[in-house]
């Protein structure tokens, strides 16, 4: 990880549980794989096992981690911490759409990165889906000397910043602390291929690239990360002329060499950067909304007692509150947004500043990109299937029936996630199964969520057939059934797809309120009267749909979520 200078604070001003909680969350995010036993976290952090258990209890209740048997895993809500930083900068809104358009124009991957100490941290990625794909994620950090944006940022480094870089490289010459890049090979293999070298030799090459980037106005990465990977990058400036991020066009030597990539990419890249700078100036004055509302910490403290670390929860609330402020935030503003006393918010900010997650300027406090190390890279890459499956499993435990998630695919629904019940007689449907949307509860939810004109066009193209004597098989009746589904907010199909099959479905929404999928419970009609099944199942189903939607909203705030 990139080295940072942390101010010395009197120990009595620091919030110990907040620091220890962030250490545990950082260990969960940074460890190999995505499963961690509390004992492993105790060893990784140097904390007592009892302390880790209390931290884990708090993070579990707040929704930042989840448990599977004895393992702790990052939960989708952890994305909210990184989202707070991204929202405060305005970069995703200003830069993201232009990066996507540039990637489409060039048919190459485009990435956006910000300086983070002596490292470079990605905040957005518009990747091309190819066999040789770029695998960096929002939140990943690279050594500054091994990428094109690093040379652009280092062009303005002070002597102290260069010295910090030298210290880090001297202590970790193979970049083992940067898991997003292949480790360097031992000295003597050549820096251009990602090989190692003495700190003096690597610094000489890095300084030369930084100087050249200042002169040329752009920087190149000619296989610094790994063999075959090349990129060109330009800086993006704010209204004051400061470099706030860098945009890279990334390709492969099978498509370009560095000169041909520069010739092809730099003209449209310059046009895109100009548009980004204009958009950044426009969003810098836009108002933000309220931060995500978490569970009340006072109520949780009363519920869980000594096992709940209220000061940790309050500190995380302060961190998330930055997402409701554009740029620097005043102490009074953060206290108002969190509902905390000024003194409590101030102690949390002092602790966050000490840990390198917040900086204090004359005009207020700023959240720093280091916050992205708290699991953002891992959770921002979650798919809809990965987000939904744990909630399906919990739903099945509660209702003892099979549960699924499906998306609309033409005239059909397509199952993308499923957890079967353990009943001897259960519904035998697999992921990938396609069923006619008109005769399924999930299909009617998804059709009902379409805008009015799209819904009318979709229904006009359907030719419903009577699959059972109960199937709604006329266009007029189907249109009314879909409209009724939309009005009441859930779908109910009684033996229309297959005799004996009953299904109840609810919509899954993203952070913008758009219905992107549906979740259902399917059961045999012989379990009991339809009214009893509806009364028993609907509250549990709506709860699962709301939980999936909340997680999807957190993950998809600034990163597109793939279905699978």
């Amino acid at each position: 990880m990139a080295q940072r200078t942390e101010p010395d604070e009197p120990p009595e001003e620091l919030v110990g549980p907040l620091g220890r909680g962030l250490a545990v969350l950082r260990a969960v995010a940074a460890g190999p794989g995505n499963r961690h036993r509390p004992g492993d976290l105790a060893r990784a952090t140097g904390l007592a096992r009892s302390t880790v258990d209390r931290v884990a209890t708090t993070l579990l209740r707040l929704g930042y981690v989840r448990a599977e048997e004895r393992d702790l895993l990052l939960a989708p809500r952890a994305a909210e911490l990184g989202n707070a930083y991204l929202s405060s900068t305005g970069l995703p809104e200003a830069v993201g759409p232009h990066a996507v358009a540039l990637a489409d124009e060039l048919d190459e991957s485009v990435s956006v990165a910000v300086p983070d100490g002596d490292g470079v941290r990605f905040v957005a990625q518009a990747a091309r889906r190819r066999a040789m794909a770029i695998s960096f994620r929002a939140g990943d950090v690279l050594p500054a000397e091994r990428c094109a944006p690093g040379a652009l940022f280092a062009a303005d480094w002070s002597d102290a910043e260069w010295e910090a870089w030298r210290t880090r490289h001297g202590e970790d010459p193979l970049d083992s602390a940067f898991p997003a890049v292949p480790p360097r090979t031992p000295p003597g293999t050549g820096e251009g291929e990602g090989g190692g070298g003495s700190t003096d030799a690597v610094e000489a090459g890095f300084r030369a690239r930084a100087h050249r980037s200042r002169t040329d106005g752009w920087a190149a990465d000619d296989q610094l990360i790994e063999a075959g990977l090349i990129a060109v990058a330009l800086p993006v400036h704010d209204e004051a002329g400061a470099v706030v991020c860098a945009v890279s066009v990334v390709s492969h030597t099978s498509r370009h060499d560095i000169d041909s990539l520069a010739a092809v990419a730099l003209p449209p890249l310059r046009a895109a950067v100009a548009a980004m700078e204009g958009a950044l100036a426009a969003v810098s004055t836009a108002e933000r909304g309220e931060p995500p509302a978490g569970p009340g910490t006072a109520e949780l403290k009363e519920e869980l007692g000594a096992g709940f670390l209220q000061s940790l929860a309050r500190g995380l609330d302060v961190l998330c509150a930055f997402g409701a402020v554009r740029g620097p935030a005043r102490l009074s503003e953060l206290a108002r947004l969190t509902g905390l006393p000024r003194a409590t918010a101030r102690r949390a900010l002092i602790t966050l500043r000490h840990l390198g997650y917040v900086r204090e300027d004359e005009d207020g406090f700023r959240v720093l990109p280091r916050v992205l190390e708290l699991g953002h890279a891992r959770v921002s890459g979650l798919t809809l299937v990965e987000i939904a499956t744990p909630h399906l499993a919990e739903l099945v435990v509660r209702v003892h029936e099979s549960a699924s998630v499906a998306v609309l695919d033409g005239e059909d629904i397509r199952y993308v996630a499923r957890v079967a019940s353990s009943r001897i007689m259960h519904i035998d449907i697999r992921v990938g199964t396609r069923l006619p949307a008109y005769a399924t509860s999930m299909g009617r939810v998804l059709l009902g969520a379409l805008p009015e004109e799209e819904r009318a066009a979709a229904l006009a193209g359907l030719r419903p057939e009577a699959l059972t004597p109960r199937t709604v098989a006329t266009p007029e009746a189907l249109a009314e059934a879909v409209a009724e589904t939309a009005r009441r907010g859930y779908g109910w199909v009684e033996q229309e797809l297959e005799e004996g099959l009953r299904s109840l479905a609810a919509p899954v929404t993203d952070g913008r309120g758009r219905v992107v999928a549906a979740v259902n419970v399917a059961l045999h009609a012989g379990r009991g009267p339809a009214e009893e099944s509806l009364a028993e199942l609907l509250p549990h189903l709506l709860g699962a749909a709301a939980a999936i939607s909340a997680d999807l909203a957190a993950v998809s705030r600034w990163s597109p979520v793939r279905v699978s």
Side-chain angles (χ1 to χ4, degrees):
M1 141 185 335
Q3 179 170 324
R4 296 158 185 83
T5 301
E6 297 176 352
D8 293 326
E9 297 287 351
E12 62 269 17
E13 292 192 76
L14 300 181
V15 182
L18 176 56
R20 291 188 285 273
L22 290 171
V24 171
L25 190 57
R26 190 163 56 245
V28 174
N34 192 31
R35 293 175 177 271
H36 307 271
R37 297 287 173 89
D40 296 333
L41 295 173
R43 286 187 288 274
T45 60
L47 298 172
R49 171 63 188 271
S50 59
T51 299
V52 171
D53 288 342
R54 292 184 69 199
V55 168
T57 296
T58 304
L59 294 176
L60 280 164
R61 191 61 183 84
L62 293 173
Y64 291 106
V65 300
R66 63 183 183 87
E68 284 189 5
E69 297 180 346
R70 297 172 58 193
D71 295 329
L72 294 175
L73 300 83
L74 275 176
R77 195 192 169 192
E80 290 177 356
L81 300 172
N83 288 344
Y85 163 75
L86 294 171
S87 295
S88 72
T89 66
L91 287 174
E93 294 157 282
V95 175
H98 297 289
V100 172
L102 181 63
D104 290 340
E105 178 181 354
L106 294 173
D107 193 28
E108 299 285 2
S109 293
V110 174
S111 61
V112 181
V114 296
D116 188 3
D118 61 3
V120 169
R121 199 174 289 272
F122 289 103
V123 296
Q125 181 86 13
R128 302 292 88 184
R129 300 290 295 272
R130 294 197 179 102
M132 289 187 292
I134 309 303
S135 60
F136 295 127
R137 307 161 298 181
D140 279 334
V141 62
L142 275 62
E145 70 275 15
R146 289 183 65 182
C147 58
L152 295 171
F153 301 146
D156 296 324
W157 278 1
S158 64
D159 290 342
E161 287 171 312
W162 276 107
E163 185 56 36
W165 175 87
R166 283 184 60 86
T167 300
R168 187 266 297 163
H169 187 274
E171 294 174 351
D172 183 21
L174 302 186
D175 297 335
S176 58
F178 295 87
V181 296
R184 291 181 184 271
T185 52
T189 59
E191 188 188 355
E193 289 73 40
S198 69
T199 297
D200 288 343
V202 173
E203 181 180 3
F206 186 26
R207 281 186 180 270
R209 289 196 303 277
H211 177 75
R212 188 160 58 248
S213 74
R214 185 188 300 113
T215 302
D216 297 342
W218 62 280
D221 167 3
D222 192 357
Q223 307 179 73
L224 297 172
I225 295 173
E226 68 178 12
L229 187 66
I230 58 175
V232 294
L234 284 178
V236 177
H237 300 84
D238 63 15
E239 291 180 286
V243 175
V244 293
C245 67
V247 182
S248 302
V249 176
V250 186
S251 189
H252 196 272
T253 51
S254 60
R255 293 170 61 84
H256 288 286
D257 60 27
I258 199 68
D259 292 331
S260 69
L261 179 62
V264 169
L266 283 178
L269 179 55
R270 289 191 175 99
V273 165
M276 291 172 183
E277 291 175 343
L280 190 60
V283 303
S284 64
T285 57
E287 293 185 0
R288 301 301 310 158
E290 294 293 312
T297 58
E299 292 81 356
L300 291 177
K301 181 66 175 177
E302 183 176 345
E303 173 189 339
L304 299 175
F308 182 77
L309 300 173
Q310 191 175 51
S311 55
L312 169 57
R314 287 171 167 174
L316 294 174
D317 283 347
V318 170
L319 201 50
C320 286
F322 280 96
V325 182
R326 183 75 73 202
R330 297 288 186 182
L331 170 60
S332 58
E333 191 172 19
L334 294 170
R336 177 186 63 81
L337 287 166
T338 57
L340 296 174
R342 284 171 59 97
T344 301
R346 177 181 176 275
R347 290 192 65 208
L349 287 166
I350 288 173
T351 304
L352 293 169
R353 185 181 68 184
H354 178 77
L355 296 172
Y357 295 116
V358 166
R359 183 180 76 230
E360 185 176 7
D361 296 332
E362 290 184 0
D363 52 355
F365 293 89
R366 292 180 183 269
V367 64
L368 299 176
R370 189 181 186 184
V371 167
L372 294 169
E373 76 178 4
L374 299 174
H376 195 82
R378 183 160 285 171
V379 296
S380 66
L382 292 175
T383 64
L384 173 61
V385 173
E386 291 168 324
I387 293 169
T389 298
H391 296 293
L392 292 181
E394 292 179 7
L395 179 60
V396 170
V397 168
R398 291 193 183 100
V399 303
H400 310 292
E401 303 288 357
S402 298
S404 307
V405 169
V407 296
L408 193 62
D409 192 352
E411 298 181 358
D412 298 331
I413 62 166
R414 175 167 51 86
Y415 282 72
V416 297
R418 180 165 172 80
V419 175
S421 72
S422 58
R423 291 182 182 271
I424 294 175
M425 186 172 65
H426 61 273
I427 312 303
D428 187 18
I429 294 176
R430 305 175 189 278
V431 169
T433 296
R434 299 169 68 97
L435 295 174
Y438 70 86
T440 62
S441 61
M442 289 192 285
R444 291 192 186 162
V445 164
L446 295 167
L447 289 169
L450 294 174
E452 189 171 339
E453 290 186 4
E454 289 185 36
R455 185 199 302 181
L459 292 174
L462 295 177
R463 297 292 180 266
E465 299 178 7
L467 304 175
T468 77
R470 295 172 178 258
T471 305
V472 175
T474 67
E476 297 79 13
L478 177 60
E480 177 54 32
V482 170
E484 174 61 20
T485 296
R487 284 192 293 269
R488 68 190 176 196
Y490 65 87
W492 174 267
V493 167
E494 176 73 13
Q495 304 185 65
E496 294 189 41
L497 179 70
E498 182 178 319
E499 291 186 0
L501 179 61
R502 174 180 294 162
S503 177
L504 176 65
V508 172
T509 59
D510 63 10
R512 296 172 177 81
R514 300 173 301 190
V515 174
V516 296
V519 56
N520 88 325
V521 172
L523 66 155
H524 192 272
R527 301 268 197 267
E531 296 78 6
E532 289 184 7
S533 293
L534 180 62
E536 179 183 351
L537 298 175
L538 184 59
H540 296 293
L541 179 66
L542 293 178
I548 296 170
S549 298
D551 283 352
L552 182 60
V555 173
S556 65
R557 180 70 179 92
W558 298 119
S559 301
V561 172
R562 293 183 292 110
V563 171
S564 60

